[in-house]
Amino acid sequence: MLPLGLIFVALLKTSAMVMPKPTPTLSQLSPMPSATIQTLQLLKTSGPMAKRGDRVTIHYRIEASGSLISDTATTGLPFQFVIGDQRVPAFLSLGAEGLSERSTRIFIVPAGLAGGDQGKPPLMPPKQDLRVTVRLVTLTAVE
């Protein structure tokens, strides 16, 4: 397992971790990828569901080959972004989309969507499917 400090730095560099930055308009969002994720488990709650363009705050856990890559609950630093923002890994947008606050989705990200043949070292290993858990903490819907 990588040291937490290294993981945090890698996240800042590889996914342009979005803290308060201007919210992109819907026309500025990248199209959602055509690749699909395989949902293994979905724990739903009631309430509005996150959609493309909404600002969400999530906790996530990423594993590859049974090894922990990153866990924001361990660091205590949730990740905030706009669903569909091209600065964020597409699989996080896909995982958060359709969730309501306090809902959790566990899903498999195919290697092609997770980093492909090269991966994104040191965070994402090459040619590896990822097991990701996303828990939606807050949702700010776009009107």
Side-chain angles (χ1 to χ4, degrees):
M1 186 162 75
L2 295 171
L4 291 177
L6 180 60
I7 291 170
F8 184 69
V9 169
L11 275 174
L12 286 173
K13 289 181 179 178
T14 60
S15 65
M17 190 171 204
V18 179
M19 291 306 171
K21 288 188 179 180
T23 301
T25 64
L26 285 175
S27 63
Q28 293 172 318
L29 298 177
S30 60
M32 294 297 268
S34 58
T36 58
I37 58 173
Q38 176 191 0
T39 297
L40 301 177
Q41 185 175 4
L42 179 61
L43 304 170
K44 292 187 87 171
T45 59
S46 61
M49 293 190 299
K51 63 187 178 312
R52 189 171 180 266
D54 288 347
R55 180 172 294 280
V56 295
T57 303
I58 64 168
H59 273 294
Y60 64 80
R61 178 181 177 91
I62 303 173
E63 301 170 78
S65 300
S67 297
L68 179 64
I69 294 174
S70 182
D71 185 350
T72 61
T74 303
T75 65
L77 299 171
F79 187 63
Q80 185 180 85
F81 64 98
V82 173
I83 294 177
D85 188 332
Q86 63 187 357
R87 297 172 292 184
V88 175
F91 65 83
L92 288 179
S93 285
L94 290 168
E97 191 172 34
L99 292 180
S100 53
E101 287 185 352
R102 298 177 317 281
S103 292
T104 301
R105 174 177 284 134
I106 301 171
F107 57 98
I108 301 296
V109 179
L113 191 57
D117 290 342
Q118 295 79 31
K120 294 187 192 288
L123 191 59
M124 304 296 178
K127 300 179 185 177
Q128 292 271 325
D129 291 348
L130 301 177
R131 180 185 170 104
V132 180
T133 303
V134 169
R135 182 173 54 87
L136 185 63
V137 178
T138 62
L139 164 64
T140 304
V142 176
E143 301 301 316

